[in-house]
Amino acid sequence: MSVSGQIDKILRKKDKKLQLIADDIAAAVKDKLKENLEKNWYSTYSPKSYFRTWDLFDSVTAEVTHDGRFNYYIQVYFDSAKISSVQNDSGWNSHMGFDGQSFKSGLVSLIEHGMKGSQYNPRNGNSAHMIEFTQEWANQYARQLLKSRL
């Protein structure tokens, strides 16, 4: 095998290793975001007058893209297309205001940064910081994983 053929083989092997690492990081970060969402938002209270859809939890999505030059991009995000906006007979609408307008696009921001409301809102002024906590964890996790596998 020629020198250039050997280099290509080494690079393909390295690229495959990077792909596996990126996939592992994406899956771990997705799981951590869901864990932080559960711990810092869903577990903070149990609704009495409506049923949870779990759409927000189920909307957490992870994607890995590759530019063909050994650069991998990992995105973990809330996919608003997976969050329903439905009017209910109970008076509480799923991810909609009382006016029937969807607020699913702003839902993540409300949860991350806190929401206003009356003193009767169990989450008045509270914020989950799930994205912030997950980002901090993800940076450390990715560095450790890359260091151990490369």
Side-chain angles (χ1 to χ4, degrees), residues 6-59:
Q6 289 175 343
I7 291 172
D8 286 344
K9 184 177 178 182
I10 291 168
L11 291 176
R12 281 193 306 275
K13 192 173 184 179
K14 184 74 129 180
D15 194 46
K16 182 66 176 164
K17 189 180 255 190
L18 286 171
Q19 175 70 54
L20 293 171
I21 291 169
D23 289 343
D24 288 350
I25 291 170
V29 173
K30 178 182 175 180
D31 289 345
K32 185 57 124 176
L33 180 55
K34 289 176 106 171
E35 177 187 313
N36 284 332
L37 178 61
E38 169 68 29
K39 181 174 114 185
N40 298 319
W41 187 252
Y42 283 117
S43 296
T44 59
Y45 90 103
S46 296
K48 305 281 188 252
S49 55
Y50 66 91
F51 295 101
R52 285 201 167 121
T53 64
W54 292 90
D55 284 356
L56 184 64
F57 188 84
D58 294 334
S59 77

Side-chain angles (χ1 to χ4, degrees), residues 38-118:
E38 169 68 29
K39 181 174 114 185
N40 298 319
W41 187 252
Y42 283 117
S43 296
T44 59
Y45 90 103
S46 296
K48 305 281 188 252
S49 55
Y50 66 91
F51 295 101
R52 285 201 167 121
T53 64
W54 292 90
D55 284 356
L56 184 64
F57 188 84
D58 294 334
S59 77
V60 177
T61 303
E63 293 179 352
V64 176
T65 57
H66 178 242
D67 68 3
R69 297 180 312 218
F70 305 105
N71 294 310
Y72 287 86
Y73 304 94
I74 300 167
Q75 288 185 303
V76 178
Y77 61 95
F78 294 94
D79 184 349
S80 63
K82 296 178 181 178
I83 302 172
S84 61
S85 293
V86 180
Q87 287 186 311
N88 297 313
D89 294 335
S90 68
W92 290 99
N93 298 325
S94 297
H95 314 119
M96 297 175 79
F98 291 111
D99 60 0
Q101 297 296 311
S102 170
F103 62 77
K104 67 182 183 178
S105 63
L107 185 61
V108 173
S109 181
L110 285 172
I111 294 169
E112 179 69 9
H113 303 294
M115 60 175 58
K116 294 183 169 108
S118 73

